[in-house]
C-alpha cells in the first residue's frame, strides 16, 4: 500500500536529522531589533533566545517607559524570530519527508 516502508523510515530519519541541524543553525542566526527611537536595542536568536539588551541611559530614569520599550522591542524581535524559525523548520521537515500519496502535510 505505501511501498517501501524501510525506505520511508529512512526518509523520516533524514527529515528528523535535518530539523535538528536546522535548530542548531538557528541558534547562530541573530535578529537585531530597536525601539522606535533606538533607545532600546535587543538581539535574539532565531530560536527565540535573548542574547543582548542595550538600554540608552535616558530611559533609566523612567521605569514605566523603560518597561514599555522593552516589551514592545522584545515582542517585535521574538515575532521576527518565530517567523524565521517556523519557515526554516518547515523547509527542513518538508525536504526530508517521504512522498506519501494523499499526505501533502506542508501546503
Amino acid at each position: 500500500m505505501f511501498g517501501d516502508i524501510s525506505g520511508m523510515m529512512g526518509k523520516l530519519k533524514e527529515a528528523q536529522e535535518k530539523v535538528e541541524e536546522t535548530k542548531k543553525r538557528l541558534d547562530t542566526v541573530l535578529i537585531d531589533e530597536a525601539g522606535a527611537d533606538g533607545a532600546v536595542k535587543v538581539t535574539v536568536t532565531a530560536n527565540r533566545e535573548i542574547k543582548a539588551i542595550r538600554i540608552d541611559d535616558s530611559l533609566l530614569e523612567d521605569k514605566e517607559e523603560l518597561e514599555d520599550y522593552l516589551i514592545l522591542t522584545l515582542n517585535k524581535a521574538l515575532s521576527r524570530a518565530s517567523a524565521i524559525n517556523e519557515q526554516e523548520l518547515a523547509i527542513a521537515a518538508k525536504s526530508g519527508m517521504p512522498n506519501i500519496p494523499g499526505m501533502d502535510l506542508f501546503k
Side-chain angles (χ1 to χ4, degrees), residues 94 104-107:
K94 184 177 180 179
D104 191 3
L105 302 174
F106 301 100
K107 280 189 175 184

Side-chain angles (χ1 to χ4, degrees), residues 20-32:
E20 290 305 315
E21 289 172 11
T22 300
K23 285 181 182 178
K24 286 179 185 174
R25 184 178 56 78
L26 291 175
D27 278 333
T28 66
V29 175
L30 299 178
I31 296 134
D32 293 317

Side-chain angles (χ1 to χ4, degrees), residues 75-88:
N75 281 334
K76 282 173 54 179
L78 293 173
S79 177
R80 287 179 54 204
S82 290
I84 292 168
N85 183 285
E86 291 170 12
Q87 179 182 12
E88 293 293 319

Side-chain angles (χ1 to χ4, degrees), residues 29-33 41-45 49-54 74 77:
V29 175
L30 299 178
I31 296 134
D32 293 317
E33 188 66 57
K41 297 178 182 177
V42 298
T43 301
V44 299
T45 69
E49 181 180 332
I50 298 167
K51 288 296 191 179
I53 298 175
R54 290 165 299 289
L74 283 167

Side-chain angles (χ1 to χ4, degrees), residues 88-103:
E88 293 293 319
L89 290 178
I91 290 168
K94 184 177 180 179
S95 70
M97 291 297 289
N99 185 18
I100 301 172
M103 297 272 307

